[in-house]
Amino acid sequence: MQRQFTYPPSFEDSLTKALASYQLTLKESKTLAKCVQALSDFFIHKPDDATPWHETWAQVAYLCYYLPLNATRLRGIIEEAEKRNFFSGIERVIDFGAGLATASLALSEKRSFKFQLIERAAEPQKIIEKFFPQFQAEEWQRTFSAPRLKDPQKTLAVFSYSLTELSDIPDWAYQCEALMLVEPSTQQDGRKLLQLRQKLLDNGYHAWAPCTHEGLCPLLTQSKTDWCHDRVHFAAPEWFNKMEEQLPMKNRTLTMSYLLMRKTPAQKINAARVVGDQLQEKGKDRQMICRGSEREFLAWMHKSKIEQEIPRGVLVEIPEDIQKVSNELRVQKEIQTL
């Protein structure tokens, strides 16, 4: 069964009220799509420029497109974090490059954290405070200089789509107990995140997810092209599908690269993470897994008559007696998901 998510239900009323301030509704799919296309074109043609928050079309595009999509991605990551008890002992969140506070909004849905947001533009704060009353931030900061750290041993630093132009997280973040790093699922951003993972391990952090181990990443050390990314299915509402019909971009599934790291060691689990889609080859089907520093694949030989496709990102139990041939683990009975 595929992992399916959507944005928090509380968003619907907020989006409706926000769009009404622009004399728009969620049903005006063509007008909404024009705003989305304009912002998409801006990002393509001016990738190094700051987001034009002062423009009405950019605000509309973020509200009706990027906010729902990114919140859905984050809900997939947050669910995984909850399964691993990643938030245990965390009381504060610093959301760096917060934008429209998407990460904080998603986190606040299930947890009562104290939120400190860092965002240069003033418009996002005004939008959130006016149309998302369900979310209360303790503080907004305009500068990207070191925030005032309060109880760093109880603090989670969140970097959601904010590291693209940086080679490393800021120095102050290394003082925080926990890190949530989310980046686009591109080869460039994904591999940069794998490099950062190793630096964080070298600086005393422990991998909680998606990694199930703390050895060298085989996608980084044994390949010049691979990168780690997750995928979830998007349960889009009707209004979003109508808008998307007017756009060249389709979002039936959503991908992202992410890391969950803490200074506290993670509880060890005897499992592997499925990090690849099913590859159909002559005589067999394969899916890449990660459980250590070796690049490995589960392999279903067609002659065995076992057919199974496991959702990307899922943890699976590997039988101790599984036959290994080169980098393949030959499946003799259905693999159990955890």
Side-chain angles (χ1 to χ4, degrees):
M1 183 166 180
Q2 298 294 348
R3 298 158 61 220
Q4 189 172 70
F5 297 89
T6 190
Y7 56 85
S10 62
F11 280 25
E12 198 80 7
D13 186 53
S14 295
L15 293 176
T16 298
K17 291 179 179 178
L19 290 177
S21 70
Y22 306 104
Q23 287 76 53
L24 290 170
T25 70
L26 291 173
K27 294 183 179 180
E28 295 179 66
S29 55
K30 289 186 179 180
T31 302
L32 299 182
K34 287 181 180 179
C35 293
V36 173
Q37 187 65 65
L39 187 55
S40 175
D41 291 342
F42 176 89
F43 288 147
I44 292 172
H45 298 301
K46 300 180 179 180
D48 297 327
D49 286 11
T51 300
W53 283 111
H54 61 284
E55 299 284 1
T56 296
W57 50 266
Q59 295 176 22
V60 171
Y62 256 97
L63 282 163
C64 70
Y65 188 78
Y66 293 98
L67 178 65
L69 291 181
N70 289 337
T72 300
R73 290 183 176 95
L74 285 157
R75 289 186 100 192
I77 297 171
I78 291 169
E79 180 182 87
E80 190 61 35
E82 292 280 9
K83 289 178 182 178
R84 302 284 284 121
N85 203 25
F86 177 74
F87 300 116
S88 176
I90 299 298
E91 298 179 3
R92 311 186 68 88
V93 170
I94 298 177
D95 190 346
F96 179 87
L100 210 55
T102 310
S104 293
L105 285 169
L107 284 167
S108 68
E109 180 193 13
K110 290 190 175 182
R111 295 273 178 163
S112 298
F113 296 123
K114 295 177 182 177
F115 290 93
Q116 189 174 351
L117 291 83
I118 305 174
E119 170 54 47
R120 285 178 176 152
E123 290 83 0
Q125 180 180 355
K126 296 175 183 177
I127 293 171
I128 293 300
E129 291 180 343
K130 187 173 182 179
F131 300 111
F132 292 80
Q134 69 270 28
F135 173 74
Q136 297 294 323
E138 183 180 68
E139 181 181 7
W140 286 77
Q141 285 183 236
R142 292 283 171 269
T143 175
F144 280 4
S145 60
R148 291 176 285 278
L149 289 177
K150 307 170 185 176
D151 298 325
Q153 71 277 12
K154 298 179 182 179
T155 297
L156 165 67
V158 176
F159 297 84
S160 179
Y161 289 71
S162 58
L163 287 178
T164 302
E165 299 176 9
L166 302 177
S167 58
D168 195 358
I169 59 175
D171 291 341
W172 59 261
Y174 282 96
Q175 301 176 45
C176 298
E177 159 64 25
L179 301 172
M180 176 185 287
L181 311 173
V182 187
E183 287 297 300
S185 56
T186 63
Q187 183 186 61
Q188 180 179 350
D189 289 307
R191 288 187 68 82
K192 187 167 74 171
L193 202 58
L194 297 182
Q195 294 169 345
L196 181 55
R197 169 190 178 272
Q198 188 57 51
K199 182 174 181 179
L200 291 170
L201 290 172
D202 294 341
N203 278 271
Y205 279 93
H206 299 275
W208 282 62
C211 317
T212 61
H213 67 96
E214 296 187 347
L216 296 174
C217 175
L219 298 185
L220 185 63
T221 61
Q222 299 179 26
S223 170
K224 294 182 179 180
T225 57
D226 282 336
W227 69 99
C228 186
H229 58 286
D230 198 4
R231 175 181 284 109
V232 297
H233 286 247
F234 179 37
E238 183 179 358
W239 70 263
F240 190 97
N241 288 331
K242 291 290 185 182
M243 176 186 66
E244 197 175 58
E245 288 176 2
Q246 317 295 323
L247 294 167
M249 307 88 77
K250 308 302 177 187
N251 294 280
R252 297 297 172 265
T253 65
L254 306 175
T255 58
M256 60 282 185
S257 295
Y258 77 96
L259 285 175
L260 300 178
M261 312 282 286
R262 286 191 62 158
K263 291 185 176 180
T264 301
Q267 183 179 356
K268 300 297 182 183
I269 54 173
N270 184 25
R273 178 89 61 189
V274 176
V275 294
D277 297 322
Q278 187 182 73
L279 303 173
Q280 296 181 342
E281 302 176 3
K282 185 176 181 181
K284 61 189 173 186
D285 298 331
R286 302 202 306 168
Q287 279 191 267
M288 186 185 294
I289 63 167
C290 187
R291 60 173 180 168
S293 297
E294 188 175 352
R295 195 164 175 265
E296 294 181 310
F297 295 82
L298 289 173
W300 291 263
M301 310 307 291
H302 292 169
K303 62 183 180 182
S304 70
K305 306 298 183 182
I306 301 174
E307 295 184 5
Q308 185 180 12
E309 182 175 1
I310 303 172
R312 192 185 194 113
V314 167
L315 289 172
V316 295
E317 182 179 337
I318 306 298
E320 292 184 2
D321 60 350
I322 196 166
Q323 180 187 15
K324 185 170 183 177
V325 180
S326 186
N327 64 355
E328 292 183 351
L329 304 176
R330 301 284 175 85
V331 177
Q332 301 299 320
K333 57 183 179 181
E334 190 166 288
I335 294 294
Q336 298 299 309
T337 61
L338 303 178

